[in-house]
Amino acid sequence: MDFPDSYLNALKGTANLSGRRQPPSFPPPPTSFPLPPHSPDISSLPESLVSDIPPILLKEILSRLPIRSLLRFQCVCKPWLKLISNPQFSILFQKGKIAIRGGKGLLYDLHLDFESDKVSMVGLHYPRRKKEIGGTEEVEMPQFEILGGYRFNGDKGIAVAACLKSKHWTNVYFPYKLKSGDSGLVVNERLHWVVKRDGDGMRSSTQLIVCFDPLVDEFVEFSTPLPYYGERNVILGLGILYGCLSVARYYYFERSYGPDDDPNPNIEVLIMKEYGVEESWTSLFVISHFVGLYKFYSYKPHIYGCLVPLGLTKSGKSLWQ
Amino acid sequence: MASSIENNNEKLTLKSSDGEEFLVEKHVALQSTLLQNMLDSDCSSADVIPLPKIDARTLALVLGYCKKHADASSSKQGELNSFDSEFLKDMDMGALFNLVLAANFMEIKGLLDIAAQKIADTIKDKPHQEVREIFHVENDYTPEEEAAVREENRWAFEGFP
């Protein structure tokens, strides 16, 4: 009979692979070979078969593992390290990206395919070592396995939550306005953004901090630190200081004509001492007469402003971005 | 293709690596892209198709999977899902590896997916030393090299030997 080429190729393919992969130092054991009693799973495995797992099937299996397991399994052997750390293994990306933060000192990039509108894969970045920057230690990211991100899709925002444990991606409608397509700040295994309500107009100054909990795919709102004495404030950026969610805010007094006319802008940095407790916002310091920002942001810090507290030096000096 | 219309209940004969022959209904065989391609290229049903990489035990399992999926209507996804998890439930690693290889060879995507996922689920919380044994992989690291790779990803090893 005539077999089609696909069948013959399939036969040939596996035959070649197994021939090449047969390790010379591993002769098949005799059938009566006594198997280690402590490992029942393994004892049921015919040795010749396991060493026959072709690389493509190994990939098939490994690509279903959570990141944490993958990082550990790099220690299995050098070929596994090579496979797992190969960017091709984890990434199908060229079109777009969102930065995703996670893991202890890990930074992931979430890559998007804008044409198919699908989240495709996770880029794997290896742990960043702590660096000494001018006597300041780089802020370490919190450890967690649930990651998320955000991007604009036309007028609507979509938050993308990724559970790296299951490699399962979900798109979640992002019901707020965000001033920039930032990927969210990770604190306490959740993502945080400074937003305005979807229904509010462009000039509205009501800001919220929303937190997205990827475990339940839900948004929780935090109020921003309350203004003093009725002055209004603008949240410029979120950061992590002392392991707490922190904000940099710009504030000015109602009696002036607004931020455009304020000759004395003040910048204050606060931390939320107890996560999720709005009463625990605590002021760290204030920078008054912050004229640099005033000029830089074309006098409209409430629209363009972005100031992120990055870290504090040991002597209490701050590092900005 | 004329023959497939005429002989709806036509059967195929598959032969495992250890010489056992299996009669398979055509609509069951169609679950396999490999067999489907063979049918499309007019292989006669009288022929025996050898599957030299698949032993009888594995082939029986594969055909059980194919039969269930061929017979169930597409509206019964939930039923199929519970069949799938029951199907793999008590399977040992050797059988799972065999299934992955067979599913790959016969091009049965659904089966490849669930078997590979099952293996991944089984090994994900195991220490890498044990995974080495399961996959019969030789450790080609020096102790220093292994320690260096480990140090690079220290957080992932918390709670592991």
Side-chain angles (χ1 to χ4, degrees):
Chain A
M1 80 187 263
D2 288 333
F3 289 118
D5 287 347
S6 60
Y7 172 76
L8 296 173
N9 286 340
L11 268 185
K12 222 168 103 192
T14 38
N16 281 348
L17 267 172
S18 63
R20 200 174 57 229
R21 286 178 54 78
Q22 205 70 45
S25 55
F26 267 84
T31 42
S32 61
F33 192 77
L35 289 153
H38 61 274
S39 45
D41 269 1
I42 298 156
S43 65
S44 60
L45 261 170
E47 165 141 9
S48 60
L49 198 134
V50 172
S51 46
D52 264 1
I53 287 275
I56 187 152
L57 293 186
L58 187 59
K59 255 189 219 180
E60 191 75 42
I61 294 165
L62 296 186
S63 65
R64 293 158 197 275
L65 285 168
I67 297 286
R68 189 181 161 107
S69 305
L70 282 176
L71 292 178
R72 286 192 294 111
F73 294 169
Q74 291 181 119
C75 275
V76 166
C77 62
K78 288 177 186 173
W80 282 40
L81 170 71
K82 209 175 157 193
L83 175 69
I84 294 168
S85 53
N86 181 352
Q88 294 305 316
F89 174 72
S90 53
I91 298 172
L92 79 88
F93 151 69
Q94 297 306 335
K95 302 271 157 78
K97 68 167 190 172
I98 304 180
I100 294 280
R101 305 154 206 225
K104 199 173 188 177
L106 277 173
L107 180 73
Y108 300 98
D109 279 341
L110 164 63
H111 299 301
L112 296 164
D113 183 344
F114 277 99
E115 275 171 20
S116 69
D117 204 34
K118 273 184 185 156
V119 182
S120 316
M121 285 268 186
V122 184
L124 195 58
H125 286 245
Y126 289 89
R128 296 186 302 168
R129 296 208 173 79
K130 274 190 177 182
K131 273 186 232 151
E132 294 283 320
I133 307 171
T136 311
E137 278 193 330
E138 192 177 3
V139 183
E140 243 190 275
M141 308 259 187
Q143 176 178 359
F144 72 121
E145 286 186 344
I146 314 288
L147 307 171
Y150 169 85
R151 70 172 173 127
F152 282 110
N153 180 17
D155 294 336
K156 287 183 180 172
I158 294 177
V160 185
C163 175
L164 289 181
K165 263 186 182 161
S166 62
K167 282 268 170 67
H168 175 70
W169 300 88
T170 43
N171 280 344
V172 181
Y173 174 60
F174 195 88
Y176 300 97
K177 280 184 184 154
L178 193 62
K179 64 183 167 189
S180 64
D182 75 79
S183 60
L185 177 78
V186 173
V187 185
N188 205 18
E189 307 190 1
R190 293 169 179 86
L191 283 150
H192 300 78
W193 296 269
V194 176
V195 296
K196 291 180 181 176
R197 285 190 201 283
D198 215 6
D200 291 351
M202 272 307 281
R203 296 292 300 174
S204 161
S205 58
T206 313
Q207 284 179 309
L208 295 166
I209 295 169
V210 291
C211 135
F212 178 70
D213 186 344
L215 278 176
V216 290
D217 285 354
E218 275 174 12
F219 290 91
V220 178
E221 296 179 2
F222 295 157
S223 65
T224 55
L226 286 174
Y228 307 108
Y229 315 118
E231 88 275 32
R232 303 171 69 190
N233 64 44
V234 176
I235 302 296
L236 298 170
L238 297 177
I240 303 170
L241 294 174
Y242 302 114
C244 300
L245 181 65
S246 68
V247 300
R249 70 166 167 177
Y250 167 101
Y251 68 88
Y252 56 95
F253 293 93
E254 292 273 23
R255 59 182 149 78
S256 73
Y257 298 105
D260 298 8
D261 309 302
D262 192 342
N264 283 333
N266 296 310
I267 304 289
E268 182 177 26
V269 171
L270 304 98
I271 61 171
M272 193 182 224
K273 271 189 161 173
E274 230 175 298
Y275 182 79
V277 179
E278 288 161 1
E279 295 76 34
S280 72
W281 281 113
T282 307
S283 177
L284 283 183
F285 56 86
V286 178
I287 307 168
S288 52
H289 305 283
F290 201 84
V291 187
L293 179 87
Y294 187 61
K295 283 184 177 163
F296 186 73
Y297 288 116
S298 317
Y299 306 96
K300 286 180 180 161
H302 59 300
I303 296 174
Y304 305 107
C306 179
L307 193 65
V308 179
L310 284 180
L312 293 170
T313 62
K314 279 169 194 153
S315 59
K317 286 176 186 161
S318 58
L319 187 66
W320 301 89
Q321 183 186 326
Chain B
M1 192 177 70
S3 62
S4 65
I5 298 160
E6 286 162 23
N7 307 304
N8 217 12
N9 295 319
E10 199 182 331
K11 294 193 174 185
L12 287 179
T13 308
L14 306 178
K15 191 175 175 183
S16 71
S17 62
D18 38 359
E20 212 169 301
E21 294 192 355
F22 293 79
L23 260 185
V24 188
E25 288 168 68
K26 201 164 170 181
H27 77 284
V28 173
L30 286 176
Q31 292 287 311
S32 153
T33 309
L34 178 78
L35 296 178
Q36 190 183 348
N37 288 341
M38 296 181 74
L39 290 168
D40 286 349
S41 49
D42 281 336
C43 287
S44 150
S45 61
D47 291 320
V48 174
I49 300 169
L51 298 168
K53 283 279 161 186
I54 305 171
D55 61 34
R57 181 183 165 219
T58 307
L59 189 53
L61 286 170
V62 170
L63 295 176
Y65 171 91
C66 290
K67 183 158 174 49
K68 181 74 191 176
H69 280 252
D71 290 345
S73 71
S74 55
S75 60
K76 291 182 178 166
Q77 194 52 48
E79 192 189 308
L80 280 181
N81 289 346
S82 54
F83 166 82
D84 285 355
S85 52
E86 196 60 30
F87 177 67
L88 297 174
K89 199 173 155 198
D90 297 319
M91 217 171 269
D92 61 47
M93 270 291 191
L96 285 170
F97 276 115
N98 279 327
L99 268 187
V100 167
L101 287 167
N104 182 56
F105 179 74
M106 294 175 73
E107 298 175 58
I108 308 167
K109 178 132 190 355
L111 180 60
L112 179 61
D113 279 346
I114 61 166
Q117 186 64 53
K118 176 78 178 179
I119 294 175
D121 291 344
T122 311
I123 62 171
K124 73 180 164 70
D125 294 323
K126 293 194 187 300
H128 69 280
Q129 296 91 337
E130 204 175 312
V131 171
R132 211 178 261 152
E133 289 176 42
I134 291 171
F135 282 76
H136 287 242
V137 177
E138 199 180 359
N139 180 11
D140 54 357
Y141 282 117
T142 64
E144 295 77 26
E145 286 170 337
E146 188 176 332
V149 176
R150 194 186 167 112
E151 178 60 25
E152 189 89 352
N153 305 289
R154 198 165 23 153
W155 71 276
F157 282 90
E158 279 162 19
F160 284 94

